[in-house]
Amino acid sequence: MARTTDPSALPASFRLEAGRLSLDPSDPDFFQNPYPVYAALIEASGTAWWDNIGGLAVARHDLVSSILKDRRFGRIVPSDAAGRPDFSQKPDHLRAFYALESHSLLELEPPTHTRLRALLTKAFVSRRIERLAPQIAAIADQLIDEFADHETVDLIAAYASPLPVRVIADLIGLPASASDHLLDWSHRMVAMYTPGRSLDAEHAANRAAEEFAAFLREIVEEKRKRPADDLISALIAAEIEGGKLDRDELISLVVLLLNAGHEATVHQIGNGVKTILEWSSHAGDAPASLFSTEPRAEAAVEETLRFDPPLHLFERYALVPVELPGGVTLARGEKVALLLAAANRDPAAYADPDVFIPRRFLDRSAKTVTSFGGGIHFCIGAPLARLELKIALERLFLRCPDLHLAATTSYRNSWHFHGLETLQVMAGLVDRRPRHSPP
């Protein structure tokens, strides 16, 4: 279905001419609502060289999906046959940060990526994730109990943020008492991925990397002496079985899992609550109605992931010269900026893409969302993220049926990692009879 973008909805910094896009990612009119820009880009052809990013912006669903799976592209241009990056030219004040990044799955290509991902895949098998459901529900109920008497509450701080960090920390094998430190380290490190980051942000990220790595080294040594039923213990076992994993790789994997395993879920819970409350106010249907059956709940969750996902940008690099449909050519080493959220709003893939339709994914022929990436770098924690989102939304709306927005929402100045600053709501009457007990 064709659509035409209203020019007045576009940011003042937006220029799209002759296949070149000029747009400041820190323009508030953009990061508060990037979707008109995505629509204009798709209408123009779906690709444009984005000067501010230094790469080819790709917005079409078909192109984004195909490039994610195309082995002519990689997350890095490897510096050696092992598929590792070359960070030797990074500045000294980021030494600790890039020491972790050099072993991160997101910065590796085969064969090293293949070896490390295979080890992690064992921890994320479906039966292990499904066993977490009662624990996730119990954490959700406990957090709801804590704000039940409040007239208004910031759901980001009180619910969306603490829930996933507690879940992923327990899965990994980290103490719940460390949650505040884990959140702080994660926030500072993730800020490194913000376009136009400041020098202060770089120093803060490096300190966080030092502190996080030192903390994990102590945890790993404790787990060596007293293994438990957690991911760190399983990875330690892999480390000593034929040299499949060394300590630096283990530390980097845990850092990545913690950062990726809660940051995106925090934003998706917040974005999902906002989306459903706005839909409810217009449709006149109770939010809890979306979770009346398992198929409806799964469809609603998938639609929130399509409509307003947390991850908007995923970068890849051409490993060989590539010609894309439409005659666009890329030399080896040139970057593509895959606009995942734009692909999710492509009218060629989804009818009425700018409308939240909770039942959309009841139709099994609906296109797969790009929110978790694709190919060998597809998000390994996607099943856990979907489960957390479903339970978090279901418990919230079932126990707080009168929940509604108490203030205008605004997004953080972090366009590529799209999430709300705060989400002020009035909870109304809270059902004090949860089905689950705190763990």
Side-chain angles (χ1 to χ4, degrees), residues 151-229:
E151 183 176 349
T152 62
V153 62
D154 173 14
L155 277 184
I156 301 299
Y159 191 66
S161 188
L163 189 153
V165 74
R166 286 176 57 179
V167 172
I168 193 65
D170 185 70
L171 177 65
I172 291 173
L174 304 178
S177 59
S179 292
D180 288 345
H181 289 302
L182 298 174
L183 285 170
D184 175 53
W185 292 327
S186 180
H187 292 332
R188 285 191 277 157
M189 292 183 70
V190 168
M192 277 291 290
Y193 304 111
T194 303
R197 63 180 184 256
S198 68
L199 182 61
D200 285 345
E202 291 184 348
H203 282 292
N206 198 65
R207 288 193 299 273
E210 289 178 328
E211 295 164 6
F212 201 170
F215 168 78
L216 288 175
R217 280 192 286 270
E218 291 186 8
I219 295 290
V220 168
E221 290 310 310
E222 292 175 7
K223 298 288 184 182
R224 287 189 199 280
K225 300 172 185 175
R226 289 178 289 276
D229 183 18

Side-chain angles (χ1 to χ4, degrees), residues 181-403:
H181 289 302
L182 298 174
L183 285 170
D184 175 53
W185 292 327
S186 180
H187 292 332
R188 285 191 277 157
M189 292 183 70
V190 168
M192 277 291 290
Y193 304 111
T194 303
R197 63 180 184 256
S198 68
L199 182 61
D200 285 345
E202 291 184 348
H203 282 292
N206 198 65
R207 288 193 299 273
E210 289 178 328
E211 295 164 6
F212 201 170
F215 168 78
L216 288 175
R217 280 192 286 270
E218 291 186 8
I219 295 290
V220 168
E221 290 310 310
E222 292 175 7
K223 298 288 184 182
R224 287 189 199 280
K225 300 172 185 175
R226 289 178 289 276
D229 183 18
D230 55 45
L231 184 60
I232 289 181
S233 298
L235 291 175
I236 289 172
E239 179 187 11
I240 61 178
E241 291 174 6
K244 294 180 182 177
L245 184 70
D246 65 35
R247 191 185 68 169
D248 289 340
E249 291 173 335
L250 191 159
I251 297 296
S252 290
L253 286 176
V254 174
V255 169
L256 173 65
L257 285 173
L258 191 284
N259 290 351
H262 92 276
E263 283 278 350
T265 308
V266 170
H267 301 319
Q268 188 59 72
I269 291 172
N271 296 357
V273 172
K274 171 183 177 289
T275 295
I276 290 173
L277 289 179
E278 291 176 340
W279 164 83
S280 175
S281 69
H282 288 93
D285 291 343
S289 68
L290 301 183
F291 302 90
S292 59
T293 66
E294 193 69 12
R296 292 196 68 183
E298 291 177 354
V301 163
E302 207 65 13
E303 178 69 344
T304 64
L305 288 165
R306 182 199 69 84
F307 187 78
D308 198 21
L311 185 61
H312 281 216
L313 171 68
F314 194 73
E315 295 180 345
R316 305 295 292 271
Y317 292 86
L319 303 180
V320 295
V322 178
E323 181 174 352
L324 296 176
V328 178
T329 59
L330 294 165
R332 171 180 163 83
E334 286 194 309
K335 179 168 67 178
V336 289
L338 302 178
L339 304 180
L340 305 181
N344 285 341
R345 296 280 191 106
D346 186 347
Y350 304 102
D352 298 321
D354 298 318
V355 179
F356 179 74
I357 303 175
R359 293 175 175 266
R360 185 188 301 272
F361 288 93
L362 287 173
D363 179 356
R364 295 300 180 181
S365 67
K367 297 281 188 182
T368 302
V369 298
T370 59
S371 308
F372 293 109
I376 67 168
H377 288 286
F378 179 78
C379 176
I380 199 168
L384 175 59
R386 284 187 167 100
L387 181 64
E388 286 182 287
L389 181 58
K390 181 176 79 71
I391 293 174
L393 295 176
E394 179 182 54
R395 298 305 301 149
L396 181 68
F397 290 127
L398 286 176
R399 293 197 57 199
C400 305
D402 300 322
L403 193 77

